[in-house]
Amino acid sequence: MSGAKPMKDPLDLVDFSSVLTDEERDIQSTVAKFLADRVRPHIGDWFENAHFAREIAPELGKLGVLGMHLEGYGCAGTNAVSYGLACLELEAADSGFRSFVSVQGSLSMYSIWRWGSEEQKQEWLPRLAAGEAIGCFGLTEPDFGSDPANMRTHAVRDGDDWVLNGSKMWITNGGIADVATVWAQTEDGVRGFLIPHGTPGFTTQDIKQKMSLRASITSELYFDNVRLPESARLPHAQGLRGPLSCLNEARFGILFGAVGAARDCLQTALEYADSRVQFDKPISTFQLTQKKLADMSVSLGNAALLAAHLGRLKDQGRIRPEQISVGKLNNVREALAIARECRTVLGANGISLEYSPLRHANNLESVLTYEGTSEIHTLVIGQALTGQAAYR
């Protein structure tokens, strides 16, 4: 084995590309090339300066990744695996960009596509797909994250209108959104509403001093007697089934995205280990370094193959919520462990933004929590296994 060429892509260890179709590989390659040209050269500065490059949104729209798994209304209508691979490449660049695309397509757009009226779809989906408009999704509240059933934001009837009061927290894209999908308690259960930017009584405040997802906008939303016409209500959503269905769409993108972040960390560590010389030879020749690289590559391959399998189930219409929980729990957990271990391979250089692992590790701390904490996904899996709900 002496003199063998090092692998540039650790996923080659399990021949991951062989489980993909030619079209899926082409889509993945196209997204990766776009990010290499437009995002990767700047992401360190954007992360350091807490800057989201909003001008990228219409470029992502032109690329076709916004709502790419949806049919009609200017959406690409790709399969689930292709969408997952796009998320993989986006998160390999930075979690902030995968978060933007997930929220735009799987939360904002999907909520309208699945639960909205034809008029709402015609008004918003083509603009959102093109990146001409930006959407956000308001479910989480300051005191109710994992327990949305007890949300305090509420909407009451007033003649032909609705009046909405409350607040939402940790909302990606909130401060730059042209339209917010907001979920509120009503006398008929949880309902969804579309609230355009500039609606009287609707204000936002960006969350500053974040140590994670710095190249992404995260905001609080406030509603002070926001008056909405009946046409603002998503007519086909009633109860928590509406918002939870959207979250499952977003979680699916995450289980692929986490693979991308981990792959980027491992590629960085492999390249660094091959070039970093200590004791007169590259550190890649040392057994302890090779053990780290081998263990991480096995974990990465397992996560990637799990993501592809779940993608096939989704394309067949057979995926179940607990299976998405398996993917999200496992792949984010493994990705975070890989990011941290890769930082150790880089030694002191690992804390520099010149290298990606610690940036990915910081971002993945948020990914571990949002769209369902690791604890909640553990309980979803536990309920599926035992038939017993252990949430309370």
Side-chain angles (χ1 to χ4, degrees):
M1 296 297 291
S2 178
K5 289 184 178 180
M7 285 186 181
K8 291 187 176 180
D9 185 351
L11 286 176
D12 288 345
L13 187 67
V14 296
D15 198 12
F16 178 67
S17 65
S18 69
V19 305
L20 308 177
T21 67
D22 288 342
E23 182 179 4
E24 289 163 352
R25 285 190 289 268
D26 287 344
I27 289 172
Q28 181 179 10
S29 176
T30 298
V31 175
K33 184 179 186 305
F34 169 82
L35 294 165
D37 293 341
R38 291 293 291 118
V39 174
R40 286 184 177 274
H42 314 290
I43 191 59
D45 289 337
W46 290 344
F47 184 91
E48 183 173 26
N49 296 312
H51 172 71
F52 174 71
R54 183 172 180 167
E55 66 274 13
I56 299 292
E59 297 180 43
L60 290 169
K62 186 176 181 180
L63 191 65
V65 301
L66 302 179
M68 63 185 287
H69 56 309
L70 305 179
E71 295 281 351
Y73 307 97
C75 302
T78 64
N79 69 351
V81 172
S82 293
Y83 169 58
L85 293 168
C87 288
L88 186 155
E89 294 300 336
L90 286 158
E91 195 138 4
D94 190 80
S95 299
F97 281 88
R98 200 270 309 140
S99 291
F100 171 79
V101 170
S102 285
V103 169
Q104 183 87 344
S106 292
L107 294 180
S108 173
M109 293 177 68
Y110 182 80
S111 66
I112 300 169
W113 184 86
R114 176 65 180 84
W115 303 109
S117 67
E118 185 61 29
E119 292 75 17
Q120 290 167 339
K121 295 175 187 179
Q122 293 287 353
E123 178 180 5
W124 288 110
L125 290 180
R127 295 167 58 197
L128 291 165
E132 297 170 1
I134 291 175
C136 70
F137 183 90
L139 178 64
T140 297
E141 297 189 355
D143 297 318
F144 297 97
S146 299
D147 185 18
N150 284 315
M151 71 176 73
R152 290 178 180 150
T153 299
H154 61 277
V156 297
R157 282 279 198 181
D158 185 18
D160 294 332
D161 295 339
W162 294 87
V163 178
L164 190 143
N165 284 278
S167 64
K168 300 293 180 178
M169 185 75 167
W170 305 114
I171 308 303
T172 299
N173 301 347
I176 57 173
D178 298 285
V179 62
T181 299
V182 176
W183 301 91
Q185 295 279 13
T186 75
E187 61 181 8
D188 296 321
V190 173
R191 297 280 194 169
F193 299 86
L194 298 181
I195 308 180
H197 175 77
T199 299
F202 173 34
T203 57
T204 68
Q205 180 174 323
D206 290 346
I207 297 170
K208 305 293 186 182
Q209 298 181 313
K210 296 185 298 177
M211 297 180 69
S212 180
L213 292 178
R214 291 180 56 79
S216 174
I217 300 295
T218 312
S219 311
E220 297 178 70
L221 312 182
Y222 301 99
F223 315 102
D224 183 10
N225 290 318
V226 175
R227 181 170 291 274
L228 300 168
E230 169 63 14
S231 61
R233 182 175 63 84
L234 296 174
H236 304 300
Q238 183 174 7
L240 282 176
R241 179 167 171 254
L244 294 184
S245 69
C246 302
L247 291 177
N248 273 332
E249 292 292 313
R251 289 163 181 159
F252 174 79
I254 288 172
L255 65 91
F256 272 89
V259 173
R263 187 200 66 189
D264 189 69
C265 292
L266 194 44
Q267 284 177 316
T268 301
L270 284 164
E271 292 170 4
Y272 185 87
D274 192 49
S275 62
R276 175 65 167 169
V277 175
Q278 291 288 281
F279 304 104
D280 302 319
K281 58 183 180 179
I283 64 173
S284 61
T285 65
F286 292 111
Q287 290 183 5
L288 287 178
T289 301
Q290 289 199 3
K291 182 181 188 306
K292 289 181 180 182
L293 297 173
D295 287 347
M296 290 188 289
S297 294
V298 170
S299 294
L300 176 68
N302 289 340
L305 293 172
L306 174 60
H309 172 65
L310 293 176
R312 297 297 179 216
L313 289 180
K314 193 172 193 306
D315 279 324
Q316 296 164 13
R318 296 170 50 211
I319 199 165
R320 304 191 303 271
E322 64 268 21
Q323 293 171 326
I324 294 177
S325 288
V326 169
K328 204 267 187 182
L329 176 66
N330 180 79
N331 288 9
V332 178
R333 186 166 58 190
E334 294 304 309
L336 184 54
I338 288 170
R340 291 168 173 165
E341 188 79 300
C342 285
R343 207 290 304 160
T344 72
V345 174
L346 272 64
N349 284 323
I351 71 168
S352 168
L353 274 175
E354 182 181 351
Y355 301 97
S356 67
L358 192 57
R359 171 170 56 83
H360 282 304
N362 281 7
N363 286 336
L364 287 165
E365 289 289 352
S366 291
V367 181
L368 188 70
T369 297
Y370 70 26
E371 314 295 0
T373 65
S374 56
E375 291 84 358
I376 289 296
H377 287 294
T378 298
L379 296 182
V380 170
I381 296 166
Q383 182 175 2
L385 292 170
T386 68
Q388 302 294 326
Y391 300 98
R392 299 183 186 277

